[in-house]
Amino acid sequence: RQEAENIIPEIQSLFDAERIPYATHEFDSMVNALDKNGDGLLNKDDFSNGILQIAEGVRPVSIIEINREILETRYQVTELKEEISKFLHLERNTKSNAAKGSSSLEAKQRGD
């Protein structure tokens, strides 16, 4: 993250030299969006794409935020699927054990 923040003034100078319009806050917002979990690690490809989107006049923060939210949602769905699978497995085992217990009880009652 720090490396990206250090290079932003150079990128802004290039934008100025090429007369590419931008808002200063877009760079900060982009870096914040890329470092959503706050660990300070940024993906170079995402950072490069964000810079290109600013240059093209696209609002990268919105796009980056949407992409991050999609990834987070996918992760949460995967976790939910795993939890549901564990629950169903536990439920099947509980029913199976209950059925075995019932059969065993019936056998005892019959005198087997």
Side-chain angles (χ1 to χ4, degrees):
R1 178 183 178 116
Q2 188 61 45
E3 190 177 335
E5 288 173 344
N6 291 342
I7 199 169
I8 286 175
E10 293 177 47
I11 295 168
Q12 289 172 327
S13 293
L14 289 171
F15 276 36
D16 291 339
E18 296 298 320
R19 295 189 173 136
I20 298 171
Y22 66 93
T24 305
H25 72 276
E26 288 181 300
F27 291 97
D28 294 331
S29 298
M30 179 192 67
V31 170
N32 289 334
L34 289 172
D35 187 21
K36 189 170 186 172
N37 66 358
D39 66 1
L41 301 175
L42 304 180
N43 179 302
K44 285 183 180 182
D45 290 336
D46 289 344
F47 180 78
S48 298
N49 285 334
I51 297 297
L52 289 173
Q53 290 171 0
I54 291 173
E56 293 171 349
V58 177
R59 295 295 154 244
V61 174
S62 299
I63 294 169
I64 292 168
E65 288 173 350
I66 290 169
N67 285 332
R68 292 288 174 218
E69 291 299 322
I70 289 170
L71 290 174
E72 178 64 24
T73 302
R74 283 182 182 166
Y75 175 75
Q76 290 175 356
V77 167
T78 300
E79 283 187 331
L80 284 172
K81 283 181 179 179
E82 290 172 5
E83 290 297 317
I84 290 170
S85 178
K86 288 177 189 176
F87 176 77
L88 291 174
H89 180 72
L90 180 63
E91 184 181 28
R92 278 187 227 116
N93 285 344
T94 302
K95 285 181 180 178
S96 175
N97 289 338
K100 288 178 186 175
S102 176
S103 297
S104 155
L105 181 62
E106 290 171 4
K108 285 181 185 177
Q109 290 173 346
R110 287 191 310 257
D112 290 347

